[in-house]
Amino acid sequence: MIENRPGLNLLAHLTLMLGVAIVALPVWVALVASTHTATDFMSGTIPIWPGPHLVENYARMLDAGVSTSGTPPVGTMMLNSLVMALLIACGKIAISITSAFAIVYFRFPLRNLAFWCIFITMMLPVEVRIVPTFQVVADLGLLNSYAGLSIPLIASATATFLFRQVFLTIPDELTEAARIDGAGPLKFFRDILLPLSRTNIAALFVILFIYGWNQYLWPLLITTSSDYYTIVAGIKRMADAVDGLPQWHLVMATAMLAMLPPVAVVIGMQRLFVKGLVETEK
Amino acid sequence: MASITLDNVGKVYPGGTRAVGGVSIDIADGEFIVLVGPSGCGKSTLLRMIAGLESISEGTVRIGDRAVNDIEPADRDIAMVFQNYALYPHMSVRQNLAYGLKNRRTPKAEIDRRVAEAAEILQIGPFLDRKPRALSGGQRQRVAMGRAIVREPAAFLFDEPLSNLDAKLRVTMRLEIKELQRRLRTTSIYVTHDQLEAMTLADRLVVLNGGRIEQIGTPLEVYRKPASTFVAGFIGSPAMNLIPARAVPQLPGSAHAGIIGIRPEDLTIAPDGPIAMDVLAVEELGAQRLVHGQTGGERLTVTMPSDAPLSDSLRLAFRPGSLHLFQAEGGRRIE
């Protein structure tokens, strides 16, 4: 439907502006809050315009953190989050692309059962199985470790399903041509499937990185040592200040910093990401 | 270079559906064989069994003197050209051509030589560094053939390679394939449902119907002496008129044949001819016209020059010796 009426254009733009305002306002408030000092919040109102303490607040968070709430400097938490998000994103992609490869291209007994088992786990998110998962991770001695942070979240039915759909769109004749060209299964996987799903891998990486970065409940449960705090869980700990008011200006500065890596990933991979979501031709 | 022998080859799918049965063909070294038949006649299945993409449920396939039933497609020394080209979309034309050779650990210099040679033969030199998506249909088909040529295989297998091209390009490419095969003298098996393509390309035709061979012969043999009413109706355009003998008792042989076949081009207008036809429709083709009509309640098509006089009813004569007699039961040819 292509209409060209000024009235409709105006309406469309107003709707979009409203949408942007709804999304951007909290970010603006956080940004403004991170440029004030603790005393500016005493009155109970949040300032609407930026204050002069931006550099000071951010430098303090990056350098020392808030020792009263027991959190390490933001740098350490950012690094922990980065390691966790990368391990989860890469691990999920690696595991799901190989399982999709097995399910689509090999005829083995109970193949359909395997697929349905994977598919059914989509109905069991982390929160549902969190107690038994915690038990397993604790018994394996993985509390307070990168392995404990990432491995329980690393299997992905959604990604497996997505790669299965991608592989199903690759024409059979291409597989047959590769067979005649003498490409064994692994060579076929490396030379044909991987390059052809490049854009899908990129799109999935963006989504999974953000998923991993935003993990909150799981890191909160299994990290007790501040060396392994992730930034999202760290913000929560900071806001929970005992005997004192939360240091809102510092919490907001941390929140702003926590937003940066996902934004960087989205912007950096935007072109591939969009291509991966809309491209259908193989 | 090799001969190919099919010995009583059959394909039964799990579930019991029979796609191909009892096919035996001896294909000489350097011969161009065309498998032709309507959709679902098993021609593609047969080709894919020779290629190794389908398992062979009955009989033996030999390439050279080696039975290849249990040999992987890559090791059968064949190359295949697919209907939708099946080029690797993320590789350049050069990489597409070289991929099979690279997998066989052919030395780099040898790969470069063969790719250059194939590009020269097929005139795809200027496109070597492009991706397939930047090529037209005809160019893609050339690349697909190039991928077969560089392998220097014992046999080429073509699976309806021209079906995706437009009519004009199809005629050009048909000729190119023919010339290419002449030049390389590589044994070729070509699958098509287009009887014209089959006639023009083949050294020998194999007409398939319902998974079985109806007739094997040179294009002219098949055209002149179709072994059954199926072949008679399938080969030749416009199709042969097949008339129940009782509708034309005045024709010779109608007493002991069930069905009489006359090619449209073997009928001519003659005032005292034995066949009376009521004209129903006329199709103008330019050089000639097709006249459709009825005789004794049966449909009849006649090819005539475009300047021949037309009227509502015509009397027709047939060229002597041009009648084909078939049995009523099973439609086999009566000599």
Side-chain angles (χ1 to χ4, degrees):
Chain A
M1 190 181 81
I2 297 170
E3 300 249 2
N4 199 3
R5 274 185 268 165
L8 280 181
N9 274 345
L10 190 68
L11 186 71
H13 277 96
L14 282 177
T15 316
L16 288 173
M17 279 182 218
L18 187 68
V20 169
I22 290 173
V23 174
L25 189 65
V27 179
W28 172 251
V29 168
L31 180 66
V32 167
S34 70
T35 60
H36 288 268
T37 58
T39 48
D40 293 339
F41 296 89
M42 299 291 193
S43 64
T45 54
I46 300 173
I48 197 72
W49 300 112
H53 304 282
L54 179 125
V55 179
E56 179 191 325
N57 289 345
Y58 283 77
R60 167 153 179 223
M61 285 320 293
L62 285 172
D63 184 42
V66 185
S67 49
T68 51
S69 61
T71 47
V74 170
T76 314
M77 293 196 288
M78 295 266 273
L79 184 72
N80 288 342
S81 278
L82 186 72
V83 170
M84 180 177 81
L86 283 177
L87 279 177
I88 289 177
C90 297
K92 268 180 189 281
I93 288 173
I95 289 175
S96 55
I97 200 168
T98 40
S99 34
F101 178 54
I103 281 169
V104 175
Y105 288 100
F106 294 87
R107 303 276 164 277
F108 52 89
L110 305 182
R111 178 170 137 265
N112 269 323
L113 183 74
F115 173 68
W116 283 108
C117 284
I118 293 175
F119 197 66
I120 283 170
T121 60
M122 277 172 79
M123 298 168 198
L124 298 172
V126 180
E127 292 77 10
V128 175
R129 54 187 163 86
I130 203 152
V131 174
T133 310
F134 182 85
Q135 179 73 51
V136 169
V137 169
D139 287 350
L140 289 173
L142 293 177
L143 298 179
N144 288 322
S145 71
Y146 288 134
L149 278 171
S150 52
I151 289 175
L153 304 174
I154 221 166
S156 173
T158 322
T160 309
F161 191 68
L162 185 117
F163 279 122
R164 173 181 176 267
Q165 299 309 101
V166 171
F167 292 167
L168 288 179
T169 65
I170 292 175
D172 288 345
E173 293 190 341
L174 211 58
T175 317
E176 289 169 352
R179 250 183 103 186
I180 290 180
D181 266 343
L186 286 180
K187 211 172 235 177
F188 172 68
F189 181 71
R190 200 189 61 208
D191 292 348
I192 315 284
L193 284 186
L194 274 187
L196 284 183
S197 19
R198 199 174 56 105
T199 52
N200 301 88
I201 292 175
L204 207 58
F205 178 82
V206 172
I207 295 170
L208 295 178
F209 181 85
I210 293 171
Y211 165 86
W213 184 269
N214 287 342
Q215 276 308 311
Y216 166 66
L217 184 59
W218 183 249
L220 198 64
L221 271 184
I222 75 148
T223 53
T224 48
S225 150
S226 64
D227 291 347
Y228 288 98
Y229 282 2
T230 63
I231 189 142
V232 178
I235 291 172
K236 155 87 177 74
R237 284 195 166 89
M238 274 185 222
D240 264 358
V242 270
D243 47 77
L245 286 172
Q247 312 256 19
W248 283 119
H249 60 301
L250 299 178
V251 172
M252 289 304 172
T254 316
M256 290 312 292
L257 288 170
M259 259 185 267
L260 293 180
V263 169
V265 166
V266 170
I267 291 176
M269 301 186 78
Q270 195 175 29
R271 217 172 47 85
L272 275 174
F273 176 68
V274 173
K275 235 169 126 189
L277 290 184
V278 298
E279 190 179 55
T280 49
E281 195 197 345
K282 281 282 168 286
Chain B
M1 302 269 165
S3 61
I4 298 176
T5 314
L6 307 187
D7 187 11
N8 225 359
V9 170
K11 174 77 191 178
V12 181
Y13 284 105
T17 322
R18 171 171 286 280
V20 176
V23 170
S24 299
I25 317 171
D26 286 308
I27 301 168
D29 185 13
E31 201 173 13
F32 199 126
I33 290 281
V34 176
L35 305 178
V36 64
S39 322
C41 71
K43 55 192 189 300
S44 282
T45 311
L46 192 59
L47 189 77
R48 291 164 55 80
M49 282 197 283
I50 299 170
L53 299 171
E54 295 272 358
S55 61
I56 300 164
S57 11
E58 298 161 358
T60 318
V61 173
R62 281 194 191 79
I63 298 177
D65 8 295
R66 194 163 64 125
V68 295
N69 284 36
D70 300 319
I71 295 179
E72 271 292 299
D75 304 323
R76 289 192 184 193
D77 200 13
I78 45 107
M80 188 149 166
V81 179
F82 294 88
Q83 179 178 348
N84 69 6
Y85 326 123
L87 300 176
Y88 310 119
H90 57 291
M91 296 187 193
S92 70
V93 169
R94 187 191 302 280
Q95 289 166 320
N96 262 288
L97 295 181
Y99 187 61
L101 297 176
K102 230 171 73 192
N103 288 342
R104 284 181 177 68
R105 304 183 194 291
T106 315
K108 180 100 179 44
E110 173 73 6
I111 294 180
D112 289 345
R113 188 187 64 75
R114 289 202 203 174
V115 169
E117 201 177 280
E120 164 76 34
I121 294 175
L122 295 164
Q123 298 160 8
I124 49 175
F127 319 127
L128 277 180
D129 293 312
R130 286 202 205 162
K131 292 274 171 67
R133 92 172 73 87
L135 302 179
S136 71
Q139 290 163 344
R140 286 182 206 188
Q141 194 54 64
R142 283 215 181 89
V143 177
M145 289 201 298
R147 195 165 61 177
I149 293 173
V150 292
R151 296 267 312 276
E152 299 181 358
F156 290 139
L157 307 179
F158 297 92
D159 191 2
E160 310 213 14
L162 304 183
S163 303
N164 280 8
L165 303 178
D166 65 53
K168 199 173 163 210
L169 199 55
R170 210 177 300 164
V171 175
T172 333
M173 291 300 287
R174 195 168 76 199
L175 199 63
E176 280 188 26
I177 291 181
K178 181 91 183 161
E179 282 168 2
L180 188 68
Q181 202 268 346
R182 279 272 155 73
R183 198 160 139 192
L184 302 174
R185 298 257 38 122
T186 306
T187 315
S188 301
I189 306 179
Y190 187 106
V191 162
T192 179
H193 60 264
D194 179 342
Q195 57 92 21
L196 190 64
E197 223 169 275
M199 292 285 286
T200 49
L201 283 172
D203 290 333
R204 276 195 302 159
L205 278 179
V206 178
V207 185
L208 289 161
N209 182 30
R212 304 202 165 262
I213 295 182
E214 288 275 338
Q215 188 171 9
I216 304 180
T218 64
L220 276 185
E221 272 168 23
V222 174
Y223 183 77
R224 287 191 181 139
K225 294 197 164 189
S228 66
T229 48
F230 173 82
V231 180
F234 192 77
I235 299 290
S237 175
M240 185 188 283
N241 296 298
L242 294 166
I243 311 165
R246 56 185 159 66
V248 280
Q250 69 275 30
L251 295 183
S254 58
H256 59 279
I259 294 165
I260 294 186
I262 318 171
R263 295 219 175 262
E265 56 270 34
D266 289 334
L267 288 164
T268 49
I269 299 179
D272 52 350
I275 306 167
M277 180 177 81
D278 298 323
V279 175
L280 296 175
V282 178
E283 286 181 284
E284 295 288 357
L285 302 182
Q288 46 185 212
R289 61 165 63 116
L290 299 182
V291 180
H292 302 275
Q294 250 183 349
T295 183
E298 297 295 330
R299 302 286 301 213
L300 195 62
T301 303
V302 186
T303 316
M304 47 180 77
S306 55
D307 54 357
L310 271 182
S311 58
D312 283 351
S313 68
L314 295 170
R315 288 208 75 86
L316 304 169
F318 55 88
R319 226 159 34 82
S322 68
L323 291 189
H324 305 262
L325 306 182
F326 301 98
Q327 293 166 356
E329 291 289 312
R332 302 307 298 178
R333 181 183 187 83
I334 305 171
E335 286 301 331

